[in-house]
């Protein structure tokens, strides 16, 4: 099974269970906060990823750490993921789960990638513009990518709007390469 399929299988199973329990949104919030806790601290992440730690000890630690911090439903899911040695995929499972919830709620996912944070006003303008074009609710996430020269990229579902300086320079380069200047034109 490919790495991408692993997260999709777990996310789909969780999505079906959450849908039956009528707890799509609350499951997402709980799972998101637990993933943040598990991956925000390097020592916690290393503990669960370490091959030196006994798997049953990891499972017990996971069960104790989520007890009281999440519903029994989400706590059992986290424990299962740790038991099956799939801790590494938790972030991907969360993203696939969010995509599934978005599909069920007829919602689009908008990710804005820029060199620096654009600020609330710019993000709101982009969101309003995209919402009017697509005619559906939008879930917005903003991501900073210091490798961008400038500008931004917008990912909406399967579409990419690339307004980065690198893309504009590549377009200009391509246009110049396509331009055929006759020999002797500058004589």
């Amino acid at each position: 099974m490919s790495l991408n399929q692993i997260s999709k299988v777990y996310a789909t199973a969780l999505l079906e269970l959450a849908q039956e329990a009528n707890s799509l949104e609350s499951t997402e919030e709980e799972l998101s906060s637990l993933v943040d806790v598990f991956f925000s601290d390097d020592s916690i992440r290393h503990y669960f990823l370490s091959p030196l730690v006994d798997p049953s000890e990891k499972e017990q630690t996971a069960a104790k750490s989520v007890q009281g911090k999440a519903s029994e439903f989400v706590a059992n899911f986290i424990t299962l993921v740790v038991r099956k040695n799939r801790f590494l995929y938790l972030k991907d499972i969360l993203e696939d789960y969010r995509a599934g919830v978005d599909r069920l709620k007829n919602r689009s996912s908008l990710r804005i990638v820029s060199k620096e944070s654009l600020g609330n006003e710019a993000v709101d303008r982009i969101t309003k513009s995209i919402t009017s074009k697509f005619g559906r609710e939008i879930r917005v996430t903003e991501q900073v990518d210091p490798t961008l020269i400038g500008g931004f990229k917008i990912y909406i579902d399967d579409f990419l709007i690339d307004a980065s300086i690198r893309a504009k320079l590549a377009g200009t380069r391509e246009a110049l390469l396509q331009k055929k200047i006759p020999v002797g034109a500058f004589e």
Side-chain angles (χ1 to χ4, degrees):
M1 187 179 296
S2 78
L3 301 178
N4 194 21
Q5 287 178 325
I6 291 171
S7 64
K8 287 192 185 317
V9 166
Y10 280 86
T12 302
L14 181 62
L15 190 65
E16 289 174 3
L17 292 171
Q19 193 173 11
E20 286 175 13
N22 200 21
S23 64
L24 288 171
E25 304 284 336
S26 62
T27 299
E28 180 183 347
E29 290 171 12
E30 290 176 13
L31 186 61
S32 178
S33 65
L34 289 173
V35 168
D36 287 345
V37 169
F38 283 133
F39 285 90
S40 64
D41 187 351
D42 287 342
S43 61
I44 295 172
R45 188 176 70 250
H46 291 303
Y47 173 83
F48 283 105
L49 294 175
S50 174
L52 302 175
V53 179
D54 182 48
S56 63
E57 186 180 321
K58 288 181 193 178
E59 183 181 343
Q60 290 172 358
T61 303
K64 287 179 186 174
S65 64
V66 297
Q67 188 177 15
K69 294 183 177 91
S71 65
E72 185 178 345
F73 178 69
V74 174
N76 288 340
F77 179 77
I78 294 288
T79 305
L80 173 73
V81 168
V82 171
R83 180 184 317 128
K84 296 293 186 178
N85 199 25
R86 302 293 194 222
F87 180 82
L88 179 63
Y89 304 105
L90 264 177
K91 282 186 172 181
D92 295 329
I93 291 169
L94 174 61
E95 289 308 310
D96 288 337
Y97 181 84
R98 281 183 175 150
V101 170
D102 287 346
R103 268 192 315 278
L104 290 172
K105 300 275 185 179
N106 195 28
R107 183 170 47 199
S108 290
S109 141
L110 171 68
R111 185 167 49 111
I112 303 170
V113 181
S114 58
K115 182 171 181 70
E116 298 173 350
S117 180
L118 297 178
N120 291 338
E121 186 178 317
V123 170
D124 287 343
R125 281 196 331 244
I126 292 170
T127 303
K128 285 178 185 171
S129 175
I130 298 292
T131 301
S132 68
K133 298 277 189 231
F134 282 79
R136 55 170 58 173
E137 184 182 342
I138 303 273
R139 177 199 307 251
V140 180
T141 56
E142 189 176 5
Q143 180 182 346
V144 174
D145 182 1
T147 63
L148 285 177
I149 298 170
F152 55 88
K153 295 180 181 181
I154 296 175
Y155 297 88
I156 175 118
D157 294 334
D158 293 334
F159 301 105
L160 167 65
I161 301 169
D162 194 347
S164 66
I165 299 296
R166 179 172 286 138
K168 290 181 192 267
L169 289 173
T172 303
R173 179 179 186 270
E174 187 64 32
L176 289 173
L177 289 173
Q178 294 297 321
K179 199 113 171 135
K180 304 258 191 235
I181 300 174
V183 177
F186 294 109
E187 295 180 72

